[in-house]
């Protein structure tokens, strides 16, 4: 490393946020990437470990120490080349990845980790600013055709990899725009959708074809809140017209909460708020759900719940409360016990900082209505012992609630897609396909593969990119007998 003592000389520096009162007035990003000087100092903190655990902590195995050093030395163009060698879309991960690589950083054993995500963000932004992100069309064509069902990060990564080695790739998407829940589930204030648009333009220049508003294997309008399809394509059509098919449709069936009063107006799944809001921001019709002046209860403590909090605050909610059924995690993890793995600890998002009451170990017992609309909910506190919850006697209470949002995760992909292809499911309803040995990502149906959340269940964008890249290699090997694509 160019600065062997950098981790002793420089402190971790986080990216700057716009003030809360400013960012609540719009849906644009409000995070400023590091300056060149700041990024260089953060890169200097990297210790060039003998065993760089950050590489294995990162699902796409980014070669993190190398591009940290390149940024420290000011070799930004080479840094983006190294970054792109493992990650097709650092513009996505540099904004929304929770950075498991930082949890695995050796510095994180007893001090603050290298700001890996902030350096990645700075690298890709500089690359776009300087025109270094260019299409990479294939030198020769193979004559093979591949269909990719779903245009989320797994589908996009697979499509780009396969197009670059000469296959004719067509991506089928049921929504009116490309991106899946990357576009429709993640608010613009976390990632503006122009980042997806310019990647789509790059991929089109590389030969990828995109077909939107097309439902595969089911009637249009039957596969979820972001189904804008007007055309249907059958599984048999894809299998007959293409040499291989990759199912990358994500996991979109939300977890429900079947308690008394569930049917009341004002009780919604999170995506029923988030998808129309993203469409409104993109210029479509107004979101039919409004949090303005309402007491909002978000049930679920993960990223989707945080997105509901941020969106509700931008609507001008009277109050926002977020429930989590699990007990409150510790403010600091037990590092000697958890490192280099992802630790359980208290995490506060930018949306929480904008205004939110957070409550832990709470279970919802009933939704209380008036004239068919939710007006309150009844809760009970939980006591956790040996990993099992029990209700605390006498802890029931009622809270005002004009809008309730379920953000408790997703259970499985839309079943009609897998059933249309005859793909076997695992015990959780996901597409059954292994990632070990021969035939990785292959389903039980000839020439049909599965990758991303449709196979592994709901997960991170970075895991979806990894699976899309790996599935592309397996499909290329299936079609050509061998592959030059990275594993």
């Amino acid at each position: 490393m160019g600065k062997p003592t950098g981790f002793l000389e420089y402190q971790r520096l986080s990216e700057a946020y716009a003030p809360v009162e400013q960012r609540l007035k719009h849906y644009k990003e409000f995070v400023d990437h590091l300056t060149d000087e700041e990024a260089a100092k953060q890169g200097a903190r990297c210790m060039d470990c003998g065993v760089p655990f950050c590489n294995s902590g990162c699902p796409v195995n980014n070669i993190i120490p190398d591009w940290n050093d390149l940024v420290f030395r000011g070799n930004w163009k080479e840094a983006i080349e190294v970054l792109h060698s493992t990650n097709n879309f650092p513009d996505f991960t540099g904004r929304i990845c929770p950075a498991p690589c930082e949890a695995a950083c050796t510095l994180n054993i007893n001090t603050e980790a290298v700001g890996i995500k902030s350096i990645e963000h700075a690298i890709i932004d500089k690359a776009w600013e300087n025109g270094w992100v260019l299409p990479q069309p294939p030198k020769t064509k193979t004559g093979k055709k591949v269909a990719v069902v779903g245009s989320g990060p797994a589908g996009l990564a697979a499509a780009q990899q396969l197009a670059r080695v000469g296959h004719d790739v067509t991506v089928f998407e049921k929504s009116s725009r490309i991106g899946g829940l990357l576009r429709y589930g993640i608010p613009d204030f976390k990632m503006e959708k122009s980042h997806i648009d310019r990647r789509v333009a790059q991929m089109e220049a590389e030969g990828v074809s995109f077909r939107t508003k097309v439902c595969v294997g089911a009637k249009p309008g039957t596969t979820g809140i972001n189904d804008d399809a007007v055309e249907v394509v059958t599984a048999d059509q894809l299998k007959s017209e293409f040499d291989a098919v990759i199912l990358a449709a994500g996991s979109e069936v939300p977890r429900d909460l079947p308690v008394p009063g569930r049917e009341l107006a004002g009780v919604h799944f999170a995506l029923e708020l988030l998808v129309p809001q993203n469409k409104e921001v993109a210029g479509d019709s107004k979101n039919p759900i409004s949090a303005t002046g309402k007491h909002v209860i978000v049930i679920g403590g993960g990223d989707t719940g945080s997105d509901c909090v941020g969106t509700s605050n931008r609507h001008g909610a009277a109050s926002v409360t977020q429930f989590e059924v699990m007990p409150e995690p510790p403010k600091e993890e037990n590092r000697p016990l958890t490192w280099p793995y992802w630790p359980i600890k208290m995490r506060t998002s930018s949306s929480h900082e904008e205004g939110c009451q957070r409550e832990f170990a709470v279970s919802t017992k009933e939704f209380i209505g008036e004239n068919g609309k939710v007006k309150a909910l009844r809760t009970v506190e939980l006591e956790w012992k040996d990993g099992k919850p029990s209700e605390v006697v006498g802890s029931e209470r009622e809270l005002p609630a004009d809008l309730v949002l379920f953000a408790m995760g997703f259970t499985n992909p839309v079943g009609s897609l897998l059933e249309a292809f005859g793909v076997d499911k695992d015990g959780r309803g996901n597409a059954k396909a292994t990632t070990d040995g021969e035939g990785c990502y292959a389903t039980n149906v000839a020439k049909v593969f599965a990758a991303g959340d449709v196979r592994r269940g709901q997960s991170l964008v970075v895991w979806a990119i990894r699976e899309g890249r790996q599935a592309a290699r397996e499909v290329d090997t299936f079609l050509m007998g061998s592959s030059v694509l990275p594993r």
Side-chain angles (χ1 to χ4, degrees), residues 100 102 233 412:
E102 294 186 12
V233 172
N412 53 268

Side-chain angles (χ1 to χ4, degrees), residues 22-70:
Q22 292 182 14
R23 66 193 199 226
L24 285 180
K25 297 177 181 178
H26 59 76
Y27 288 87
K28 297 183 181 296
E29 292 177 14
F30 52 82
V31 180
D32 293 328
H33 65 67
L34 303 178
T35 65
D36 290 9
E37 181 181 0
E38 291 169 342
K41 287 183 178 179
Q42 290 305 292
R45 296 186 71 235
C46 182
M47 300 167 65
D48 193 22
C49 309
V51 179
F53 287 89
C54 56
N55 287 26
S56 55
C58 172
V60 293
N61 303 123
N62 277 330
I63 313 170
I64 294 164
D66 290 36
W67 43 260
N68 281 345
D69 185 53
L70 289 166

Side-chain angles (χ1 to χ4, degrees), residues 433-443 448-450 455 467 470-475 478 487:
T434 182
T435 59
D436 300 320
E438 294 184 7
C440 291
Y441 296 96
T443 69
V448 177
F449 297 75
R455 188 202 69 83
E467 294 220 347
Q470 290 184 339
R473 176 183 170 86
E474 298 302 321
V475 170
F478 167 75
R487 180 68 173 85

Side-chain angles (χ1 to χ4, degrees), residues 33-198:
H33 65 67
L34 303 178
T35 65
D36 290 9
E37 181 181 0
E38 291 169 342
K41 287 183 178 179
Q42 290 305 292
R45 296 186 71 235
C46 182
M47 300 167 65
D48 193 22
C49 309
V51 179
F53 287 89
C54 56
N55 287 26
S56 55
C58 172
V60 293
N61 303 123
N62 277 330
I63 313 170
I64 294 164
D66 290 36
W67 43 260
N68 281 345
D69 185 53
L70 289 166
V71 167
F72 168 72
R73 298 175 183 276
N75 296 333
W76 290 86
K77 189 171 184 180
E78 191 174 349
I80 188 57
E81 292 172 359
V82 174
L83 180 51
H84 269 151
S85 71
T86 55
N87 186 354
N88 296 67
F89 310 120
D91 17 16
F92 306 161
T93 53
R95 286 170 166 80
I96 59 176
C97 183
C101 55
E102 294 186 12
C105 174
T106 302
L107 270 180
N108 198 47
I109 294 174
N110 60 354
T111 185
E112 293 188 291
V114 173
I116 299 168
K117 179 180 173 181
S118 63
I119 298 172
E120 179 181 12
H121 186 187
I123 292 172
I124 184 58
D125 279 10
K126 181 172 282 291
W128 280 109
E129 291 164 5
N130 286 276
W132 298 334
V133 185
L134 300 172
Q136 299 177 36
K139 295 180 181 179
T140 59
K141 301 288 283 186
T142 66
K144 302 291 186 179
K145 297 171 62 179
V146 181
V148 177
V149 181
S151 68
L156 292 178
Q160 184 167 64
Q161 293 292 93
L162 289 166
R164 287 178 173 178
V165 291
H167 302 306
D168 290 319
V169 182
T170 303
V171 177
F172 294 86
E173 170 56 53
K174 65 184 179 181
S175 298
S176 57
R177 297 179 178 88
I178 296 298
L181 291 186
L182 189 68
R183 178 181 294 275
Y184 290 109
I186 297 172
D188 282 62
F189 56 79
K190 287 177 65 175
M191 191 187 81
E192 293 177 21
K193 303 311 177 277
S194 58
H195 304 299
I196 302 174
D197 295 337
R198 60 188 180 186

